[in-house]
Amino acid sequence: MRGLAKGLKYTLKNLTREKVTYGYPHEPLPLPDRFRGIQKFYPEKCIVCNLCANICPTDCIQLTGKKHPDPTKKGKIIDTYDINFEICILCDLCTEVCPTEAIVMTNNFELAEYSRDELFKNLEWLDQNDDNVRRENKA
Ligand code: SF4
Ligand code: SF4
């Protein structure tokens, strides 16, 4: 009986305390501003300079460009852009080096998949990775 009262006292005392747990995945986790999550890619900003692919320490970026369809414009536009998230270490180097901010880090970290093949993300997927893009990184 004494043990029960002791337990109840502890429970009642903690009922009014601020929660330290989150109802994830039903509630999104609050993340710090500088969190380095899965990249968002803006194809229209990419100038196909290859800096991101060259600096990547794990060689997980593959990209190709093509001639600008408008003959009056110089330079290339992006054709394909893939990141292999099996080996991406989310180091932020690709986004730091990008001169046009065509690739930026987000607060999105959910990459769980049933197949390793699904960890290859292409241009369309990266372009649509709009969830949790930091306000200053939105186009
Ligand atoms: S975050 Fe790092 S490892 Fe991942 S693609 Fe960018 S440079 Fe490569
Ligand atoms: S994403 Fe940025 S760094 Fe990479 S090729 Fe495009 S413009 Fe260059």
Side-chain angles (χ1 to χ4, degrees):
M1 192 65 188
R2 212 167 133 211
L4 182 69
K6 211 169 156 188
L8 270 176
K9 187 180 152 201
Y10 187 79
T11 307
L12 290 171
K13 195 170 136 198
N14 281 282
L15 267 182
T16 52
R17 283 204 177 154
E18 198 184 333
K19 265 201 311 182
V20 291
T21 54
Y22 293 97
Y24 180 81
H26 306 296
E27 273 175 45
L29 291 180
L31 293 166
D33 275 351
R34 306 301 302 162
F35 185 81
R36 301 200 304 253
I38 311 157
Q39 297 90 323
K40 153 84 182 164
F41 183 63
Y42 294 100
E44 66 283 3
K45 289 188 185 179
C46 181
I47 54 171
V48 200
C49 64
N50 264 303
L51 287 176
C52 53
N54 288 339
I55 204 164
C56 178
T58 62
D59 269 344
C60 62
I61 301 179
Q62 303 291 326
L63 64 94
T64 58
K66 60 184 176 190
K67 261 178 79 177
H68 204 292
D70 183 347
T72 60
K73 292 200 174 149
K74 281 186 183 170
K76 289 180 174 177
I77 59 165
I78 196 77
D79 192 19
T80 64
Y81 194 97
D82 303 294
I83 299 183
N84 175 5
F85 283 99
E86 255 192 299
I87 52 174
C88 172
I89 53 172
L90 298 171
C91 65
D92 199 17
L93 286 176
C94 53
T95 66
E96 287 289 321
V97 83
C98 179
T100 60
E101 298 194 341
I103 185 156
V104 294
M105 303 305 274
T106 71
N107 282 352
N108 184 15
F109 60 89
E110 291 169 327
L111 260 179
E113 301 286 2
Y114 285 104
S115 150
R116 288 185 166 200
D117 292 345
E118 287 172 40
L119 291 171
F120 283 79
K121 302 298 185 192
N122 62 14
L123 186 150
E124 288 74 28
W125 190 96
L126 292 163
D127 185 19
Q128 283 161 21
N129 184 27
D130 281 323
D131 291 342
N132 301 318
V133 176
R134 288 184 216 129
R135 201 155 25 105
E136 74 265 23
N137 286 337
K138 289 201 176 192

